[in-house]
Amino acid sequence: MDKGYIQQLLEVDGEPVKLTEKKAAILTKAIENFAENGYAATSTSEIAKQAGVAEGTIFRHYPSKKDLLMAIVKPGILKLAVPYFADQMIKEVFDPDKIDLEELLRTFIYNRVRFVKKNVSMIRIILQEIAFHPEIQQTFKQTFLLKVYPNVKERVESLQQKGKLKDFPVDTSLRFILSTILGFILHRYIFMTESIINEEQEIEHVIQFILDGLQYDHRSE
C-alpha cells in the first residue's frame, strides 16, 4: 500500500488530495491495523510507531482516532456505493429508451469486483465497523440516497411501465439486485480465501439469477 494508492482512494469527484509522506504513512498503517485488528483494538500510539511518526503528528492531522477512521471510510464508502463511471453509465447504458439490463448488470458487477479486489482492507474496515458507528451508517445511507437511488428508481419504474420488468415495488427490486450482487462479491472476494475457478461463469450465473427474478418470462407467451 503506497502513497499513490492512498491518494487515489481519498480523491472524490476528481478533487486532488494534498498528501505528505507522513500523512500517507499514517493512513497506510491505520488502514492495515483497522482491517486486521479492528478499530477498537487499534491504538493511535501503535499506528504512529509503525508509521514512524510521533503520536502527536497524528492528532495534528486528525483530532481523534474516530476522525482518522472517518477520513478513511468516507471516501471508501462513496467509491464503493457509486462507481466512478456512474453518471456516464446512467446516461448511456441506463437510457430508458435503449436500456439493456443484462449489460448494465455485467458492467456494474465487473466494475465492483475490480474495486473490491483492489480495496480488500478498506471493505473489511467498513464491514467490521458499520454496526458500531452511526456516522458510517449515515454516510452510507446519504451516499446511496443522494447519488444512486433517484436515478435507479426512475429507470426501474420506466422499465416496469414498458413491461420489461415485473411490477414489484421499486425498493423490493433494488434490494433483490443489490443483496444478490453484494452477497456474491463479499462472499467470494472478502470472506473466501480460495481462488475462483471460473470467475466469468460465476458472474454470468449471478446476472441470470437476477434477470430470472425480475424479468417476465416471455418464452411461454
Side-chain angles (χ1 to χ4, degrees), residues 124 127 182-183 185-194:
R124 283 183 176 150
L127 291 175
L182 291 178
I185 290 176
L186 294 179
H187 178 71
R188 270 308 188 180
Y189 301 100
I190 301 296
F191 303 132
M192 300 288 285
T193 55
E194 74 270 16

Side-chain angles (χ1 to χ4, degrees), residues 133-151:
H133 301 278
E135 301 94 332
I136 298 179
Q137 298 168 24
Q138 189 63 22
T139 298
F140 215 111
K141 185 183 298 184
Q142 287 179 343
T143 298
F144 180 77
L145 290 178
L146 293 177
K147 294 184 174 289
V148 180
Y149 183 79
N151 284 316

Side-chain angles (χ1 to χ4, degrees), residues 105-113 181 185 203 206-207:
L105 290 170
R106 187 172 290 109
T107 301
F108 180 79
I109 292 172
Y110 274 106
N111 178 268
R112 295 298 79 196
V113 165
I181 293 175
I185 290 176
I203 290 175
V206 172
I207 292 170

Side-chain angles (χ1 to χ4, degrees), residues 6 37 104 163:
I6 297 295
N37 305 316
L104 172 66

